[in-house]
Amino acid sequence: MRKKLLHLSNKVLSALLVSMGFASCEDIIKSEDEYGTPTVDYHIVGKVTGPEGNPIKGIRVTARGFYDFNGRTQLQTFTDDEGKFATESIRDTWIDDGLRVVFEDVDGDDNGGKFAKDSLFSHELQSKLIEKGSGWFKGKYELTAEKQLRKEE
């Protein structure tokens, strides 16, 4: 008898727990809800100068740490005659301190000397909203990376 009572109480408690679980989810799912990961389009612009403030041509600028849903990737471009650069746009999740912009002198003395490699992290970049998004897409942002390189010793 005791075994039957225990078995019956287990069934009743199980049914109660199951119904409580379904009841607690009732108001969560609505047709206007969205599911996914917030994303943002990024575009990085900036200028690279030397110790005296003069623009440096031919510096390789690489943005590392983006995630493009196919794995980690990087953006790369070079500075122009005015030391300015602009990367392509990339869609990514909201950036954190995993983003790093690396500046490398790859042409040696051709741009006025050999400059030391340096970098900036995401918290050191200026962020500007260019176009507001909606839903999980949070919009288009322009990140500005200004860097003054020192000569390599």
Side-chain angles (χ1 to χ4, degrees):
M1 176 73 177
R2 191 172 191 187
K3 201 173 190 179
K4 281 186 171 184
L5 185 58
L6 183 62
H7 188 65
L8 180 62
S9 65
N10 281 344
K11 283 185 175 183
V12 170
L13 287 174
S14 293
L16 183 62
L17 287 173
V18 167
S19 66
M20 286 174 53
F22 284 121
S24 66
C25 295
E26 182 179 332
D27 293 332
I28 294 175
I29 301 172
K30 297 180 182 173
S31 61
E32 66 270 5
D33 285 346
E34 295 183 39
Y35 300 94
T37 302
T39 58
V40 179
D41 283 350
Y42 293 105
H43 174 75
I44 303 173
V45 299
K47 185 174 183 177
V48 179
T49 58
E52 298 83 30
N54 51 322
I56 307 173
K57 176 185 177 181
I59 298 295
R60 180 170 55 201
V61 181
T62 307
R64 297 180 177 152
F66 284 110
Y67 185 78
D68 71 353
F69 301 108
N70 293 320
R72 288 282 178 189
T73 189
Q74 61 185 26
L75 298 173
Q76 183 173 290
T77 189
F78 290 86
T79 57
D80 62 14
D81 291 337
E82 298 174 359
K84 295 180 181 179
F85 68 90
T87 66
E88 297 176 16
S89 184
I90 187 170
R91 182 156 295 181
D92 194 3
T93 58
W94 193 258
I95 61 167
D96 55 19
D97 282 338
L99 172 64
R100 180 177 172 211
V101 181
V102 180
F103 305 91
E104 292 179 273
D105 185 357
V106 292
D107 66 0
D109 291 328
D110 289 350
N111 56 11
K114 182 71 175 155
F115 294 90
K117 181 178 176 179
D118 207 344
S119 62
L120 293 171
F121 289 93
S122 57
H123 67 273
E124 299 173 286
L125 306 178
Q126 294 176 346
S127 176
K128 177 181 174 186
L129 177 64
I130 302 299
E131 182 181 316
K132 189 174 179 169
S134 65
W136 286 106
F137 177 64
K138 300 302 178 188
K140 294 182 180 183
Y141 282 80
E142 182 175 88
L143 304 177
T144 303
E146 304 283 331
K147 190 65 182 174
Q148 187 173 50
L149 298 179
R150 58 180 170 73
K151 295 251 180 160
E152 195 170 78
E153 297 174 11

